[in-house]
Amino acid sequence: MPKVAYGLFEYFSTVGLPTVLIFVAGLLLSLWILSSRNPRVKWPPGPLCFPVVGCLPQLIISGRRRQPTDLLPWYDTYGDIMHVKFGEQHVIMLGTYELIQEAFVKNAATVSARPTWIYFLRQTVGKDGAGVIFKSGHEWKELRRFTLSSLRDLGLGRRSLEERIQDEARYLVQNIEDEMGKAFSPRDRIGKAVSNIISIIVFGARYDYNDTPEMLPVLEQAMRIGQGPLFFTNMARFLLPIKKIMALIDKLYSLIRQEVERHRQSFDPTDIRDFIDLFIKVTQEKQDPEIYTEWNVFRIIVDLYLAGTDTTANTLRWSLVHLMKRSDVQKKVQQEIDQVIGQGRVAKMEDKARMPFTEATILEVFRMSPVAPLGAPHATSETTNLAGYTIPKGTIILGDLYRVLHDKNNFEDPYKFKPERWLDDDGKVIKSDKLIPFSIGPRVCLGKGLAEMESFIFFTTLLQNFTFKVPEGEKPPDGVEGFNASTFTPYSYNVCAVRR
Ligand code: HEM
C-alpha cells in the first residue's frame, strides 16, 4: 500500500494541478454514482443532488429570502414526500399530516432518533448526544421522563407556576406602561418575560428587565450562529465559526456550573426549590448514575432555554403583529376579557374554558405563524419503510409543520388570519388533529403544556391592559414573512400600547 501511495504521489507531482483536480472530481463523481445506485435503497423523488454540495445550490437559489414558504413549490414538482441532500446528508421531507403521522407516530420506534452524527452536533453535544433534545434511545426516554416529571413537581399543572406566570405578566404590563403609549419595540421585553419563566423553573429566580443575567446574551448569540441547511453538513467545519460557538458553549457551561455550586451550598432535600435542586437530589440518591450525569443535566438546562424561550416569545410577538393588523379581532378578545375577567384580577387557566374567542385567536396564531416551521430534525435508527420507500438508517427526517398548517385542504384560506375558523356555530372551540405546531408522536414538544399556559396568561393580560396600535407614520408589520433562523420570528416592528 505505501508503495501505491508513493507511486500516486510521484505521478501527481509530475502532472500539475488541473489534472489532479479533474482526477479528484472524477473520483467524487464515481463515488456519488455508486452511492446513489445502492439497490437496497429507494429514495422518494427530489431535486437533482450534486456531489459534495447536494441540493444546496438549488436551495440557495430558491431560498433567497429564507422563508418557510420557499420549499413549497418543490412539493408541487416532486410530491408530498421528497428526498433532498444538504451537502452529503440525505434528508427526507414530509409535507402532509398523514406522512408525519406515519413517520413520527406509527414508525416512532425507528424515526425518533436525532442526527447527532452531523459535524455541528458532534462538536457541541457529542456523537452520543446529551440532554433531552439531542439524546436518543433508552437514555432519551429516561431523561425526558425526568424533565417532564420535574416540570410537574415544580408546579406545571399546579397553581404555583401559574402564579409565577401571572406575576411575570404583571411585571411585563408595568414595563410596557413606562412607555406611556409612545412607540416602542416589544421584542426584548417579551423575550425577558418568557425567559424569566424558564429561569424560575431552573434556577428558582427571575431577573429584572434591566438586569439581564449573563447567560441570556450568550444563549442568544449561540442560537443566532449555525442556522440553515449548512448546519447539517460536514462543510459546517469550514463555513461556520465553530471556535466562536465552542467558546460560547464553554461560557454557558461555566455559568451553569457556578449556579449548580451555589445551589449545592444551600441544598435542603426537604425543600426542593427548582430544577437544579431536583438534579442534586437525583445524583445524591445515585439513581442511574450513567444517565444522571452532570453533562446530561447541563444540556437539559440549555435545552429548556433553547426550546422554551424564543419559541413562546415569538408566538407572543406574532400575536401582537396579527392583532395590530386586525383591530376587529383585538376588540372582540377585549370584550370577552371584560365579560369573563374584568379589570380587577389577572387571567388564570380556568378562565380559558369560558373564553372561546380568545382561545380561537391564540390557536390561529399557532397555525398562521408556527415558530418552529420544520420542527426539530428526526433521524432513522433503523431502515424504515415510509410511504412505500425504503429509507436507510442514518437518514435525517424533517416534518414540514408549516406546510401542514398552510395546506388549503386542511385550512381554508390558509394565509388569512381567521380566528373564527376555530369556532363552531354555537361558538364552541373546534379542535383539529392537523394543528401541529408542537409536532406529534413521542418527540412532541415537551413544553407544550407550559407554552400553552404562558401564551394564554401573557396574551390575555396584555390585552386586558392595553390596545396595541401601529405607530403613526409606520407600516403595519408583515403577517406572513419573517426572519426564519432557528425559530421563525416577525421582522422588527414597533407598537403603541394605549392603556385601556
Ligand atoms: C409556542 C411554543 C413552542 C412551540 C411551537 C414548540 C415546538 C416544538 C417542536 C415543533 C418541537 C420538535 C418536536 C419533534 O422533534 O418532533 C419541540 C421540541 C421540544 N420542546 Fe418545544 N415548543 C414550544 C415551547 C416550548 C417550551 C416552553 C419548552 C420548555 C419547557 C419546550 C421544550 C421542548 C423540548 C425539551 C423539546 C425536545 C423534546 C424531545 O426531543 O423529546 N418547548 N418543541
Side-chain angles (χ1 to χ4, degrees), residues 31-317:
L31 283 174
W32 171 61
I33 290 171
L34 282 177
S35 70
S36 53
R37 289 251 172 102
N38 181 346
R40 281 164 300 161
V41 177
K42 189 177 166 213
W43 294 116
L48 179 70
C49 303
F50 300 99
V52 186
V53 292
C55 315
L56 290 179
Q58 299 100 302
L59 270 174
I60 291 164
I61 295 166
S62 61
R64 280 185 308 267
R65 293 170 309 140
R66 285 189 62 183
Q67 295 303 313
T69 45
D70 286 342
L71 294 186
L72 300 186
W74 286 21
Y75 293 99
D76 298 336
T77 311
Y78 305 109
D80 294 335
I81 176 169
M82 278 194 301
H83 169 242
V84 294
K85 276 182 88 180
F86 294 164
E88 72 293 348
Q89 298 295 331
H90 291 280
V91 180
I92 298 295
M93 304 214 37
L94 307 171
T96 64
Y97 172 80
E98 289 70 21
L99 284 163
I100 296 176
Q101 150 93 19
E102 183 181 342
F104 295 178
V105 180
K106 200 168 139 226
N107 285 289
T110 57
V111 190
S112 292
R114 297 290 192 201
T116 43
W117 65 81
I118 63 179
Y119 176 76
F120 183 79
L121 290 180
R122 228 171 43 228
Q123 292 298 308
T124 48
V125 294
K127 72 173 174 25
D128 295 327
V132 178
I133 307 184
F134 297 115
K135 194 87 202 164
S136 303
H138 161 69
E139 293 188 13
W140 157 64
K141 281 192 188 144
E142 182 57 31
L143 289 167
R144 186 177 160 109
R145 194 199 51 73
F146 169 71
T147 312
L148 267 172
S149 75
S150 302
L151 287 180
R152 223 166 286 131
D153 290 351
L154 294 169
L156 179 57
R158 288 206 261 123
R159 266 195 65 71
S160 59
L161 190 57
E162 183 174 351
E163 279 168 356
R164 305 301 293 261
I165 298 172
Q166 290 174 323
D167 290 346
E168 197 58 50
R170 280 194 212 102
Y171 284 118
L172 182 61
V173 166
Q174 265 168 29
N175 183 279
I176 292 178
E177 215 161 24
D178 292 346
E179 300 294 338
M180 315 235 292
K182 288 201 276 310
F184 69 96
S185 162
R187 195 190 146 73
D188 283 358
R189 55 201 93 198
I190 289 181
K192 285 177 184 172
V194 171
S195 81
N196 264 344
I197 303 303
I198 301 288
S199 298
I200 288 165
I201 293 171
V202 175
F203 301 124
R206 71 171 292 278
Y207 300 90
D208 190 83
Y209 295 168
N210 299 320
D211 167 31
T212 311
E214 243 183 304
M215 229 176 93
L216 290 189
V218 179
L219 264 164
E220 246 176 46
Q221 279 191 53
M223 295 252 313
R224 250 180 268 135
I225 308 175
Q227 311 303 333
L230 267 183
F231 159 89
F232 290 92
T233 72
N234 280 333
M235 283 177 278
R237 182 192 307 256
F238 310 109
L239 301 171
L240 295 180
I242 291 291
K243 268 205 183 129
K244 190 172 170 195
I245 296 172
M246 295 316 286
L248 282 172
I249 289 175
D250 283 348
K251 171 95 189 147
L252 209 59
Y253 291 154
S254 86
L255 291 170
I256 297 175
R257 196 166 290 121
Q258 280 169 22
E259 222 24 88
V260 173
E261 268 325 301
R262 256 199 291 271
H263 274 65
R264 273 195 217 284
Q265 278 158 23
S266 55
F267 179 71
D268 171 0
T270 61
D271 176 26
I272 298 297
R273 299 160 293 185
D274 49 36
F275 183 80
I276 294 185
D277 273 356
L278 273 172
F279 160 64
I280 297 175
K281 186 165 169 252
V282 177
T283 43
Q284 285 188 349
E285 286 167 358
K286 303 228 174 334
Q287 293 178 25
D288 282 325
E290 307 249 298
I291 295 182
Y292 293 103
T293 58
E294 195 167 82
W295 171 230
N296 273 331
V297 173
F298 278 6
R299 280 305 316 185
I300 295 177
I301 293 174
V302 175
D303 286 352
L304 290 176
Y305 272 102
L306 282 183
T309 301
D310 231 24
T311 43
T312 312
N314 279 336
T315 300
L316 286 166
R317 291 168 185 143

